[in-house]
Amino acid sequence: MFKNAGPGMLIAAAFVGPGTVTTCIRAGVDWKLGLLWALLLSVGATLVLQEMAGRLGLSASGGIPGFIRSSIGRPLLRILLLGVVLSGIVIGNAAYEAGNISGAVLGLEAIFGSAGTSFFPFLVGVAAFVLLWFGNNRSLERVFITLVLIMSLSFLITAILTRPDFSQLVRGLLIPDIHSDNVLTVVALVGTTVVPYNLFLYTSLVSEKWSSISALPLMRRDIILSVLIGGIVSMSILITAAGSGSEVVSSVMDLAAGLEPVYGQAARYGMGIGLLAAGITSAITAPLAAAFVARQCFGWAADRTDWKFRVVWVGVLMVGVLALTFEIRPLEIIYFAQVANGILLPVVGVFLLWAVNSTRLMGVFKNNRTQNILGLIVLVLVTGLGIWSIFKIFI
């Protein structure tokens, strides 16, 4: 099943990061299995957007920033849109990188204890640096397939141990239940899965992996498999939290502690390994996505060894390690990144839908009517998410 797997595993690893883990835990504790449908919805929306991003990558168009540069005639508007893209992805990923690394650090603490905690951020940073500096497409794919499988098995086994009620499981998946009390959690579940930087990342990785649109069936199989695995991991975390019996859980380690009386040390190690895999994969994909976006925006050569490309991802990685080590939380930058990402999500959705309807770019592989309908539905969804993410910052 994984013999011809492509870069989709990096996408699965990217959206199941520490933030997703925390959000799914809180959803499971607060609403039990009742919000599984929101995860199912978000997986469907992710599939629609990522498939379009993959087709755009196969068209050799330079990705979304390349399409913006070629299709927007007014220089001021073009610069403004590219500035939003750069701000949302490069600055945003730098601001959130500390959170990615902290997830991996928590996983290490769960497995090895708190001794040496001060060195764990550097250990994670060095591991990410080595993989990004020396890794090529195929080696990174193999690493991520391994890490995603470890993460999947870890959380899936833990979920099975909680013995969820099958009828409640099916009900939670298929019957939407949304009201004023849980709407914030629904928005958080969808927002943590439909991530704008994954669209840029997959477009770039696809263009490096496959050289023509004839690889479309391989790309589709790759992204469907990967996103479904990522969705199963997220649902497993929610199911585990729902079955823990805990009333208040703020982190994955709290959840593991709640499961230990019934399932022993296996719960702690299982959650720790899963969180380590989730954290380190996100700590790698965030700098990589930032570098790809900068390359597309400025039109740099498609070479991962280019010094400008490396400066971007090294900078994002170092910001995360240093911020976590010295406990620096630049709230103004984080707020700015949240606003930029809130604007970016609908902007990217619009340009992505526009690009995959271009006969010049896509030829016979442009969107059909069904794809456009699905794309418009998802666009309305991500626009609502973008508006809400900005609104909640100022209330």
Side-chain angles (χ1 to χ4, degrees):
M1 181 168 60
F2 298 100
K3 183 178 180 181
N4 295 313
M9 282 298 172
L10 276 75
I11 303 304
F15 81 70
V16 186
T20 302
V21 172
T22 302
T23 303
C24 290
I25 287 173
R26 289 178 177 172
V29 169
D30 292 342
W31 305 104
K32 304 308 177 188
L33 303 178
L35 294 184
L36 281 172
W37 65 269
L39 280 177
L40 188 62
L41 172 67
S42 63
V43 167
T46 301
L47 277 174
V48 171
L49 290 176
Q50 293 292 166
E51 190 274 341
M52 290 195 295
R55 271 189 288 135
L56 185 61
L58 291 175
S59 72
S61 63
I64 298 168
F67 181 74
I68 291 174
R69 289 203 317 270
S70 64
S71 59
I72 301 297
R74 296 182 179 181
L76 185 60
L77 180 59
R78 183 170 63 245
I79 292 170
L80 178 62
L81 289 170
L82 291 175
V84 169
V85 170
L86 276 172
S87 299
I89 303 300
V90 179
I91 298 176
N93 284 5
Y96 300 138
E97 180 69 354
N100 295 329
I101 296 173
S102 68
V105 169
L106 282 174
L108 287 171
E109 290 178 6
I111 299 168
F112 300 108
S114 58
T117 300
S118 59
F119 297 103
F120 284 163
F122 288 102
L123 185 63
V124 175
V126 168
F129 179 89
V130 169
L131 285 170
L132 285 169
W133 189 274
F134 296 104
N136 55 30
N137 268 358
R138 194 57 194 155
S139 62
L140 279 177
E141 285 169 12
R142 288 171 178 167
V143 168
F144 274 81
I145 287 171
T146 303
L147 289 173
V148 168
L149 288 177
I150 290 172
M151 180 169 57
S152 304
L153 290 172
S154 172
F155 287 128
L156 187 59
I157 290 171
T158 312
I160 292 171
L161 286 174
T162 63
R163 299 176 184 175
D165 181 272
F166 183 74
S167 62
Q168 292 297 317
L169 193 67
V170 173
R171 180 182 177 85
L173 275 172
L174 302 181
I175 301 178
D177 178 24
I178 185 168
H179 45 77
S180 58
D181 292 333
N182 69 9
V183 66
L184 291 178
T185 308
V186 171
V187 170
L189 286 172
V190 177
T192 196
T193 307
V194 185
V195 184
Y197 86 72
N198 281 348
L199 301 173
F200 296 97
L201 181 60
Y202 196 58
T203 300
S204 299
L205 293 171
V206 163
S207 64
E208 290 188 352
K209 174 74 174 180
W210 294 293
S211 58
S212 73
I213 199 75
S214 61
L216 182 61
L218 289 175
M219 183 277 293
R220 281 177 170 162
R221 185 168 58 195
D222 172 56
I223 196 60
I224 289 171
L225 174 65
S226 303
V227 172
L228 288 179
I229 288 176
I232 290 171
V233 172
S234 297
M235 291 178 188
S236 297
I237 298 166
L238 189 151
I239 292 167
T240 301
S244 67
S246 302
E247 295 298 327
V248 179
V249 174
S250 59
S251 73
V252 69
M253 289 300 100
D254 290 342
L255 179 60
L259 292 171
E260 275 189 36
V262 182
Y263 306 111
Q265 289 292 314
R268 183 175 184 84
Y269 289 127
M271 297 299 282
I273 291 169
L275 187 59
L276 173 62
I280 199 166
T281 51
S282 294
I284 294 170
T285 53
L288 187 62
F292 275 129
V293 167
R295 186 175 81 184
Q296 292 174 349
C297 285
F298 293 112
W300 298 337
D303 180 8
R304 288 199 196 184
T305 62
D306 180 75
W307 70 269
K308 297 184 291 295
F309 185 87
R310 283 179 165 172
V311 162
V312 175
W313 68 252
V314 168
V316 171
L317 184 60
M318 285 185 64
V319 167
V321 172
L322 294 176
L324 188 61
T325 302
F326 297 106
E327 298 183 354
I328 301 170
R329 299 296 290 167
L331 293 179
E332 292 81 4
I333 296 177
I334 292 173
Y335 288 150
F336 173 79
Q338 288 176 326
V339 172
N341 271 293
I343 298 170
L344 181 62
L345 193 55
V347 168
V348 170
V350 168
F351 276 97
L352 182 58
L353 197 57
W354 181 7
V356 292
N357 275 284
S358 169
T359 303
R360 175 178 60 85
L361 279 180
M362 309 304 299
V364 296
F365 296 101
K366 70 176 185 177
N367 266 18
N368 56 36
R369 182 180 297 177
T370 302
Q371 288 168 326
N372 276 329
I373 292 171
L374 290 173
L376 286 170
I377 293 171
V378 173
L379 182 59
V380 171
L381 177 65
V382 299
T383 301
L385 281 172
I387 293 171
W388 181 261
S389 65
I390 296 172
F391 178 72
K392 72 177 182 180
I393 294 170
F394 299 104
I395 60 172

